[in-house]
């Protein structure tokens, strides 16, 4: 790894060494969001930044989720940066290892190593109004920064339900995103809790080796077949020799996904055909009518994230597997008690129970101009302007902020749109001679009113399910109710009419310089 350059302090050349280094931008997180931010900052000529990562390497989701079977459910050529195409994707849907390796390569290719600070969990970021800057406290030290980018990930802090008796369970317990590779599941009685994408990938990967697999299913998932295959050596050779073919492949995948959006967002009834495909997939995979009934959802397809798998149903139909059509409600010693009262003896529990999504953990650590935390600000539900900026939190930019998630396409498209917005904001600030900006309360309110109005007819709100897209009050603060192209248009340029500008006074500049050099 290249040596880290000293972050530039806002001091004169003759001043004593800075105690708290100052950077123009502090980025939190080094998944696709943080790495993408680093690349785009450098391309915009901004090199005075740090990327603070709590773990010991880059990768985010694709570093943490190394459970057996972990893979992407968006095709590889679409689930990658537009500026860093990879002609060598080995499969049409990438596995975790290949995506993680891709992010490591992007980090090297774009010279991001000097900016990275590992084992630097951010515990607090506080806006200092008098100095018009952020003060960021991390496990690796303190920084001040003109702008703060939160790229902490929507799915990075695992959620394990607070179950009575769980603390006294004598066996092994872990979450899919914190897999314990030292624990051998071979021959063990294993409970998998949850039926989301992670649980559905784990089940077929471990079923052949465990002694008994018990799936605790509160709600069944709709499952579609996965058209995964190896990308042949010839295809890869063509992609390498004629880069336009990689771009063409990506464009085709993009267009297909974009066409599907309308059904999710405006015409949920059109998803009936897709639901029939899923019903046929279930009928073909599971012969036992009782099991088939247990696995048939009672909500419209698309309301929850659709699982894409060829192995999930066959694994659940295997003789050593059992589907308990009820959630796990209590643990009594090594006995798991389901909500239907049934009891199941197990050696290990694997939780595929998702993440803290609508209660973003970084929210409790970021304090704005009034001294209030984002978490307090968002008590009534997460809200931002264009998914990126928040009134009262100057120069705070989100990558994957509120309502920027997708139900059916590549999150990398949304990340890149938010990066366009970030870079435009930073360059606009420079061109108008301001230090900071924050959205007006009115602009933020209008944006969210329009967004929630569009949300009303989406399948996520009308499909008859309770998903992790909804917060405690039933409000969808996670997904974008439109196409990825419409989000791209909405974030192409920062509209100054939606913002209040803040200029650093001469007094503040002097006191800030004195403080960093004290
Ligand atoms: C199992 C799984 C499968 C998925 N599959 C798909 C898919 O098929 N298609 C799709 O589009 N999306 C998928 N996603 C969503 C995926 O999270 C996004 O596509 C994308 O990887 C998010 O990138 P990110 O950089 O925003 O967040 P992350 O990749 O989560 O990175 C966030 C980083 O921030 C760090 N961090 C968090 N808090 C702090 C802190 N306080 N201080 C310092 N560092 C911190 C974390 O350690 C992490 O490295 C999947 C997610 C999971 C969990």
């Amino acid at each position: 790894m290249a040596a880290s350059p000293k972050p530039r302090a806002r001091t004169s050349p003759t001043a004593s060494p800075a105690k708290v280094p100052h950077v123009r931008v502090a980025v939190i997180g080094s998944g696709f969001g943080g790495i993408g931010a680093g690349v785009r900052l450098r391309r915009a000529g901004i090199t005075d930044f740090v990327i603070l990562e709590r773990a010991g390497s880059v990768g985010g989701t694709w570093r943490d989720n190394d459970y057996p079977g972990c893979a992407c459910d968006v095709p590889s050529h679409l689930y990658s940066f537009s500026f860093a195409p990879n002609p060598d994707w080995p499969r049409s849907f990438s596995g975790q290892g290949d995506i993680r390796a891709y992010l490591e390569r992007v980090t090297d290719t774009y010279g991001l190593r000097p900016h990275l600070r590992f084992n630097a969990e951010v515990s607090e970021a506080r806006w200092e109004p008098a100095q018009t800057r952020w003060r960021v406290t991390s496990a690796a030290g303190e920084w001040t920064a003109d702008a703060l980018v939160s790229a902490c990930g929507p799915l990075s802090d695992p959620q394990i339900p607070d179950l009575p008796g769980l603390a006294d369970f004598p066996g092994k317990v872990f979450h899919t995103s914190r897999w314990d590779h030292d624990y051998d599941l071979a021959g063990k009685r294993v409970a998998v809790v949850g039926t989301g994408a992670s649980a559905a990938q784990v089940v077929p990967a471990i079923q052949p080796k465990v002694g008994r697999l018990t799936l605790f299913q509160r709600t069944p998932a709709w499952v579609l077949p996965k058209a995964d295959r190896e990308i042949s050596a010839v295809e890869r050779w063509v992609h390498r020799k004629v880069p336009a073919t990689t771009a063409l492949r990506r464009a085709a995948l993009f267009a297909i996904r974009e066409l599907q959006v309308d059904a999710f967002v405006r015409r949920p009834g059109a998803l009936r055909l897709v639901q029939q495909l899923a019903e046929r997939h279930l009928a073909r995979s599971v012969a036992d009518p009782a099991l088939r009934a247990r696995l048939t959802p009672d909500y419209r397809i698309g309301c929850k994230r659709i699982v894409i798998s060829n192995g999930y149903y066959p694994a659940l139909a295997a003789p050593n597997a059992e589907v308990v059509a009820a959630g796990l409600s209590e643990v009594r010693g090594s006995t798991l008690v389901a909500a239907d009262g049934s009891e199941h003896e197990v050696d290990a529990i694997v939780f595929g129970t998702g993440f803290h999504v609508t209660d973003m953990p970084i929210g409790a650590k970021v304090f704005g101009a009034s001294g209030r935390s984002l978490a307090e600000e968002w008590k009534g539900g997460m809200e931002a302007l264009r998914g990126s900026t928040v009134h009262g939190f100057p120069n705070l930019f989100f990558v994957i902020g509120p309502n920027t998630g997708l139900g059916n396409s590549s999150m990398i498209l949304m990340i890149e749109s938010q990066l366009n917005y970030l870079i435009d904001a930073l360059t606009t600030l420079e061109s108008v001679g301001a230090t900071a900006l924050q959205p007006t309360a009115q602009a933020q309110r209008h944006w969210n009113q329009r967004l929630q109005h569009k949300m009303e007819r989406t399948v996520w709100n009308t499909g008859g399910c309770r998903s992790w897209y909804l917060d405690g009050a039933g409000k969808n603060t996670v997904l974008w109710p439109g196409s990825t192209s419409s989000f791209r248009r909405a974030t192409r340029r920062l509209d100054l009419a939606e913002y209040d500008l803040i200029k650093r006074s001469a007094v503040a500049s002097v006191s800030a310089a004195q403080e960093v050099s004290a």
Side-chain angles (χ1 to χ4, degrees):
M1 197 173 93
S4 305
K6 286 264 177 294
R8 203 184 66 210
R10 213 191 275 131
T11 55
S12 74
T14 51
S16 56
K19 261 193 185 156
V20 177
H22 182 82
V23 287
R24 186 154 168 210
V25 185
V27 179
I28 314 176
S30 69
F32 267 96
I35 294 300
V39 173
R40 293 295 310 275
L41 285 169
R42 285 187 66 91
R43 282 190 161 183
I46 301 169
T47 53
D48 184 15
F49 68 91
V50 284
I51 303 176
L52 306 174
E53 168 56 56
R54 67 182 170 195
S57 61
V58 302
T61 288
W62 306 102
R63 174 200 62 231
D64 293 341
N65 290 270
D66 60 352
Y67 57 79
C70 180
C72 195
D73 59 18
V74 169
S76 314
H77 284 269
L78 193 59
Y79 194 81
S80 36
F81 288 122
S82 62
F83 53 78
N86 176 17
D88 288 314
W89 287 119
R91 298 198 68 84
S92 50
F93 290 86
S94 294
Q96 169 264 338
D98 286 323
I99 305 177
R100 184 178 183 186
Y102 168 81
L103 276 173
E104 289 280 354
R105 276 200 308 280
V106 171
T107 302
D108 288 326
T109 308
Y110 291 87
L112 298 184
R113 297 279 171 206
H115 301 275
L116 280 157
R117 304 291 180 277
F118 292 124
N119 307 308
E121 175 153 19
V122 171
S123 52
E124 186 180 288
R126 198 172 275 277
W127 178 253
E128 298 180 327
Q131 286 82 16
T132 50
R133 66 182 183 196
W134 285 96
R135 181 174 292 267
V136 184
T137 310
S138 85
E142 205 170 42
W143 277 266
T144 56
D146 292 337
L148 181 67
V149 176
S150 172
C152 295
L155 309 175
S156 66
D157 290 81
Q159 180 156 262
I160 291 187
D162 188 15
L163 293 166
L166 181 59
D168 300 321
F169 177 69
K172 191 78 194 169
V173 176
F174 50 89
H175 188 273
T176 46
S177 71
R178 302 289 184 271
W179 197 267
D180 186 340
H181 291 277
D182 293 333
Y183 183 76
D184 187 5
L185 291 173
K188 302 279 192 333
R189 296 165 302 176
V190 181
V192 174
V193 184
T195 53
S198 299
Q201 290 178 342
V202 161
V203 163
I206 65 170
Q207 172 270 321
K209 68 191 285 199
V210 302
R212 178 141 199 88
L213 188 144
T214 308
L215 177 73
F216 285 82
Q217 169 193 272
R218 205 169 46 183
T219 322
W222 280 114
V223 184
L224 286 171
K226 189 170 189 176
D228 187 23
R229 66 171 179 85
E230 217 174 274
I231 296 179
S232 70
V234 175
E235 281 170 278
R236 282 184 268 155
W237 180 83
V238 172
H239 288 330
R240 266 197 306 276
K241 294 290 167 202
V242 191
T245 59
T246 313
L248 210 68
R249 189 172 187 148
R250 182 183 173 95
L253 293 167
F254 170 78
I256 293 167
R257 298 265 163 168
E258 207 69 340
L259 282 174
Q260 294 166 352
V261 174
D262 201 50
F264 285 80
V265 172
R266 274 205 292 260
R267 275 178 268 278
L271 289 166
R272 207 169 302 123
L273 270 177
V274 185
Q275 192 161 312
Q276 281 165 5
L277 276 179
E279 281 162 358
R280 221 172 303 149
H281 183 48
L282 174 60
R284 266 203 301 259
S285 313
V286 179
D288 173 9
L291 177 58
R292 224 167 36 224
R294 251 174 290 157
L295 292 171
T296 304
D298 61 0
Y299 57 86
R300 177 164 279 166
I301 196 168
C303 184
K304 281 170 160 264
R305 195 173 172 92
I306 302 171
V307 165
I308 308 201
S309 172
N310 301 329
Y312 181 61
Y313 286 146
L316 293 178
N320 68 338
E322 180 186 4
V323 176
V324 179
L328 175 57
S329 62
E330 194 187 337
V331 180
R332 283 191 213 131
S334 56
T335 304
L336 305 195
V337 186
D340 62 5
S342 61
E343 299 189 358
H344 310 266
E345 195 79 12
V346 302
D347 303 307
I349 311 175
V350 175
F351 282 99
T353 39
F355 299 86
H356 289 276
V357 185
T358 53
D359 54 343
M360 230 185 244
I362 195 68
K365 297 170 186 164
V366 176
F367 297 83
S370 67
R372 272 157 62 88
S373 72
L374 251 182
E376 288 172 82
E377 205 68 41
W378 283 348
K379 261 193 189 135
M382 300 191 299
E383 266 192 7
L385 172 62
R386 298 176 193 271
S388 302
T389 51
V390 183
H391 177 71
F393 293 77
N395 278 7
L396 168 67
F397 299 93
F398 274 95
V399 181
I400 312 193
N403 291 109
T404 58
L406 294 176
N408 75 315
S409 192
S410 169
M411 280 308 298
I412 314 309
L413 301 168
M414 301 300 274
I415 288 174
E416 289 198 39
S417 292
Q418 295 211 275
L419 295 178
N420 288 342
Y421 198 67
L422 164 71
I423 299 300
D424 197 52
L426 295 178
T427 48
T428 302
L429 272 177
E430 203 160 273
S431 65
V432 300
T435 319
L437 48 75
Q438 62 162 335
T440 63
Q442 193 195 35
Q444 187 173 315
R445 194 171 52 248
H446 283 174
W447 170 261
N448 284 286
Q449 279 166 352
R450 286 197 303 271
L451 187 150
Q452 289 301 335
H453 179 65
K454 283 189 192 159
M455 195 71 84
E456 280 167 17
R457 56 179 171 178
T458 64
V459 68
W460 310 305
N461 281 35
T462 61
C465 76
R466 163 111 228 136
S467 72
W468 53 266
Y469 304 143
L470 310 180
D471 67 13
K475 184 174 167 191
N476 190 331
T477 55
V478 172
L479 293 185
W480 168 244
S483 64
T484 63
S485 314
S486 66
F487 188 71
R488 173 134 315 195
R489 283 193 297 277
T491 46
R492 183 165 290 147
R493 290 260 173 277
L494 180 126
D495 178 0
L496 275 177
E498 295 184 327
Y499 282 89
D500 286 329
L501 294 176
I502 302 165
K503 294 197 179 181
R504 180 178 290 131
S505 68
V507 179
S509 300
V510 170
S511 68
Q514 282 168 345
E515 197 179 323
V516 288
S517 61

